[in-house]
Amino acid sequence: AAKDIKQLTRSYRMTDYLWNYFLIEMLAEFRTEINHARVFNRKLNFDKIDRLLHFVESNPDLLDNFLVRFMYLQIMLLKEKKREYYYELKELLVKEMNKLNWDTKYGAFTILTNFSTAEYYEGRQEFIKERFKLCKLRLECGIDLVIERKYMAASLFEIIVNTGILNRETKWTRKFIEDYRKYLNPEYRESVVNYANSKLSFSLGKFEESAAYMSKISLPKYAGLKYHVKNLSLMLHFEKGWFDSAYDGV
């Protein structure tokens, strides 16, 4: 009898494991679907997603599994855009960080960062501090320095620098530039670093210093930098009163 109970218990555990696995996979798939629809501005039929969410909400014990809750919160944040889901998701990410694989962490960081950025641009100033906290958190856990990704994305480097500047974290931003420059692709490392230092100097009103860094930039294959350099260059020209050359650069 004891053997039968043991086998039955094992069967129940296996069933729970499989059920949670498929539930997590379905939630993850819907999360990706919603995220892509938002990014590419596509219409999305929420019928299947709503039915799955209703099922989860009707069986709250399912949310005791942290991965089910983790995926559920991401979907709700994407769908409802409510700050309560943002804070709960961030808290769970910090708490369970070591249990999550790279893809799961990266996806959550992306969703949280996009939400905090959108909130800031809608006038909620406190969310620029949230974006700064997320930048620090992702650096601390090394999410952007995995072996598979040989270099840190230059666009991310710029975002982190800009976030530090907006939060007036001058010392932290300067240290970030120096500590993380080695993770940039050597093809455009110096140009990205000079642009970052130029922008930091500009934010401090050190226009001569900013112009000196700007003069060292050679526009690389990384096309995204060209647009930012042009904007900063125009701002410098206006600050220094070089109006004729500023108009020529438009």
Side-chain angles (χ1 to χ4, degrees):
K3 185 178 179 181
D4 290 340
I5 292 172
K6 190 174 182 180
Q7 288 178 339
L8 188 61
T9 302
R10 186 179 300 156
S11 296
Y12 281 139
R13 285 176 179 170
M14 182 59 71
T15 301
D16 284 345
Y17 172 81
L18 290 172
W19 171 238
N20 282 330
Y21 172 80
F22 285 117
L23 181 57
I24 290 164
E25 287 297 305
M26 284 190 290
L27 287 167
E29 185 65 29
F30 284 141
R31 176 203 63 178
T32 302
E33 196 174 331
I34 296 172
N35 208 23
H36 284 177
R38 292 277 188 266
V39 171
F40 298 108
N41 198 26
R42 294 199 307 255
K43 288 186 178 180
L44 188 63
N45 188 332
F46 279 97
D47 287 348
K48 287 191 287 187
I49 298 172
D50 285 339
R51 284 202 297 272
L52 181 59
L53 292 175
H54 177 71
F55 175 78
V56 172
E57 290 161 358
S58 300
N59 297 273
D61 288 351
L62 293 171
L63 293 171
D64 291 340
N65 180 299
F66 88 91
L67 271 176
V68 173
R69 178 176 288 277
F70 196 66
M71 293 300 173
Y72 169 80
L73 288 171
Q74 290 178 71
I75 291 176
M76 293 305 292
L77 181 58
L78 286 167
K79 185 172 178 286
E80 303 295 335
K81 300 179 182 178
K82 291 183 178 178
R83 277 164 271 172
E84 61 196 75
Y85 296 122
Y86 169 88
Y87 288 114
E88 190 175 350
L89 175 60
K90 189 180 78 167
E91 182 180 356
L92 190 59
L93 173 62
V94 172
K95 181 181 177 183
E96 307 292 356
M97 184 78 73
N98 294 331
K99 297 179 183 178
L100 301 169
N101 62 29
W102 183 87
D103 288 327
T104 305
K105 284 189 282 194
Y106 193 85
F109 269 116
T110 299
I111 290 169
L112 289 167
T113 301
N114 289 345
F115 179 82
S116 64
T117 301
E119 289 290 290
Y120 170 68
Y121 284 135
E122 288 179 11
R124 298 178 183 91
Q125 295 295 317
E126 69 272 20
F127 271 89
I128 194 59
K129 286 184 171 42
E130 281 296 319
R131 197 169 79 167
F132 182 63
K133 290 176 185 177
L134 289 172
C135 286
K136 291 176 71 175
L137 186 59
R138 68 188 298 155
L139 290 173
E140 287 167 10
C141 75
I143 189 80
D144 301 294
L145 301 176
V146 293
I147 294 172
E148 293 83 351
R149 292 190 162 208
K150 194 173 180 182
Y151 303 114
M152 175 182 276
S155 56
L156 175 63
F157 190 92
E158 291 174 35
I159 287 170
I160 293 174
V161 168
N162 191 48
T163 302
I165 289 171
L166 288 171
N167 279 277
R168 299 181 181 178
E169 293 281 352
T170 303
K171 186 177 178 180
W172 184 93
T173 305
R174 201 180 299 283
K175 188 174 188 306
F176 165 78
I177 294 170
E178 288 307 309
D179 289 350
Y180 283 83
R181 61 183 294 157
K182 62 188 175 187
Y183 297 112
L184 291 166
N185 190 320
E187 286 186 29
Y188 45 72
R189 178 182 295 148
E190 292 308 312
S191 289
V192 172
V193 169
N194 281 319
Y195 168 73
N197 280 320
S198 180
K199 188 158 190 182
L200 181 58
S201 296
F202 183 90
S203 72
L204 298 172
K206 298 178 179 180
F207 303 126
E208 294 291 342
E209 184 176 279
S210 179
Y213 281 120
M214 180 71 72
S215 68
K216 298 176 184 178
I217 298 173
S218 57
L219 291 178
K221 293 179 181 178
Y222 166 49
L225 187 62
K226 295 178 182 178
Y227 172 79
H228 299 304
V229 167
K230 185 174 182 179
N231 279 350
L232 183 56
S233 179
L234 285 172
M235 290 162 63
L236 266 172
H237 278 69
F238 278 109
E239 287 292 343
K240 293 180 70 62
W242 300 336
F243 299 115
D244 291 340
S245 54
Y247 287 127
D248 290 340
V250 175

